[in-house]
Amino acid sequence: DMLLAEVARAMQRRGLHLAGSIQATAARRDGCRCGMTLEDLATGHRIDTFEDRGPLARGCRLNAHALEEAVGLACASLTPGIDLVIINRFGKREAEGRGFRPVIETAVDMAIPVLIAVNTAQSEAWYQFTGSEAASMTPTRGKIAAWCDAAMRVRQSSAHQPPHLVDPAADAG
């Protein structure tokens, strides 16, 4: 989450127009680490996606309505002027066909590059969703920055086709 947030901030400082959302774990008084806030990258609007069900509650504390609000904001910001979509995670909701899936689909249809972290538990669902259209890379600042640079070069060219994710180190050897 922190790495994607850093990448998003760096891309915004470069003047790129972003859509999607990044996640920050919100500090909570009760010591629970699962408080989450999603920040819409196009507007800066923050949405608390943590459902406080009390200190003894177990299981998922995701507020599905708040998540859908974040998805709606991201969908509304997908315009031809967007350079890059960053989504904090392809997680359980996306694996089930909900969550940020419409944002991903719309961005791909518009030939806008999408950078997304995939929860390991959902990798099979990710590959079923993307088929051979996506590849993966080791999540390091340098590799992500190199991919973003390549995506922007392609985006600015007449082809408007995002590059496949590749691991630049794999080409070196």
Side-chain angles (χ1 to χ4, degrees):
D1 293 332
M2 254 185 2
L3 180 57
L4 281 180
E6 289 173 16
V7 168
R9 298 290 179 241
M11 296 298 118
Q12 287 172 325
R13 282 191 300 274
R14 288 175 50 187
L16 297 179
H17 297 97
L18 305 181
S21 71
I22 53 175
Q23 177 178 301
T25 302
R28 296 187 40 83
R29 291 183 307 264
D30 62 6
C32 178
R33 296 179 3 168
C34 28
M36 294 180 297
T37 300
L38 288 179
E39 179 185 332
D40 181 70
L41 290 169
T43 65
H45 183 73
R46 291 176 175 247
I47 299 170
D48 185 12
T49 58
F50 171 78
E51 185 173 33
D52 191 352
R53 299 183 305 138
L56 300 177
R58 298 285 180 253
C60 183
R61 296 178 184 208
L62 174 69
N63 180 331
H65 296 293
L67 176 64
E68 293 307 319
E69 180 183 348
V71 169
L73 282 173
C75 276
S77 66
L78 290 176
T79 64
I82 294 296
D83 298 307
L84 176 66
V85 173
I86 298 176
I87 298 174
N88 70 299
R89 184 171 298 109
F90 184 90
K92 185 177 180 182
R93 300 290 288 183
E94 290 75 21
E96 297 170 342
R98 296 186 298 261
F100 281 94
R101 273 179 85 147
V103 176
I104 299 165
E105 292 166 344
T106 302
V108 169
D109 286 346
M110 295 176 71
I112 301 171
V114 178
L115 177 64
I116 185 168
V118 179
N119 182 324
T120 355
Q122 309 307 330
S123 48
E124 182 60 33
W126 170 252
Y127 290 116
Q128 288 177 4
F129 174 56
T130 61
S132 63
E133 295 300 312
S136 62
M137 72 176 126
T138 306
T140 65
R141 195 171 288 106
K143 289 179 183 180
I144 293 171
W147 180 85
C148 289
D149 288 343
M152 292 308 97
R153 282 192 303 274
V154 171
R155 181 95 172 116
Q156 292 167 357
S157 76
S158 61
H160 296 293
Q161 297 282 330
H164 287 289
L165 298 175
V166 294
D167 185 340
D171 295 332

